[in-house]
Amino acid sequence: MSDSADVPEDECLAVWCAGDDWCAVTCTMDVIDKKWHPVIIHRLLQHDALRFNALSNEVGEITNKMLSQSLDDLEEKELVDREIVSEKPVAVEYSLTDRGESLQPVIDSLEEWGKTYLQPAKSKDDSAC
């Protein structure tokens, strides 16, 4: 387990932390804790770069306003890069920064955990004989 002293507390992206010590888990969750952030990161990991409408289609049940706000937040946190690919008509493409791509093992672990454990719980009556 890593030492919490590896990163100075004032460099943590979270504005609060559990307990008195700097907490890497809390800071990581502060970066990806919004409902759509992990999904957006996951889709950009799968596709490298996507334009707004393509990303919206990949994410699914998200409004354009929420997608725009989420992308702005992820860009502010230096996880997503926004590049204008044409001026007329304006076309913007979103991709992950190196920092965003470094979340791949986290997203992969979340996906694997979900595949393994997010199944309906078996009741005592359903147990195998």
Side-chain angles (χ1 to χ4, degrees):
M1 194 172 260
S2 66
D3 184 4
S4 63
D6 291 348
V7 177
E9 183 175 340
D10 61 347
E11 291 184 23
C12 178
L13 294 173
V15 295
W16 59 273
C17 195
D20 296 329
D21 295 329
W22 180 79
C23 176
V25 171
T26 302
C27 289
T28 301
M29 290 308 299
D30 188 61
V31 173
I32 63 171
D33 73 338
K34 305 292 190 259
K35 177 179 179 179
W36 296 106
H37 285 39
V39 179
I40 292 167
I41 293 167
H42 182 256
R43 297 312 185 264
L44 289 173
L45 283 166
Q46 290 178 323
H47 298 283
D48 294 327
L50 291 168
R51 291 188 181 186
F52 187 89
N53 288 336
L55 182 56
S56 179
N57 290 336
E58 284 293 322
V59 172
E61 301 290 320
I62 189 170
T63 65
N64 285 345
K65 180 179 178 181
M66 181 55 65
L67 179 57
S68 181
Q69 289 174 344
S70 296
L71 288 166
D72 287 346
D73 190 43
L74 290 167
E75 185 178 8
E76 184 178 308
K77 291 176 178 176
E78 300 178 3
L79 299 174
V80 169
D81 186 40
R82 179 181 186 271
E83 181 182 351
I84 297 173
V85 292
S86 72
E87 294 289 332
K88 291 186 181 183
V90 174
V92 177
E93 193 170 75
Y94 295 91
S95 61
L96 293 173
T97 63
D98 289 342
R99 184 178 196 163
E101 287 179 2
S102 73
L103 285 167
Q104 175 126 25
V106 176
I107 300 298
D108 290 347
S109 292
L110 288 170
E111 182 177 29
E112 194 57 39
W113 188 91
K115 287 178 180 177
T116 303
Y117 294 103
L118 294 183
Q119 300 170 16
K122 291 182 179 179
S123 68
K124 291 180 182 177
D125 295 336
D126 293 341
S127 59
C129 297

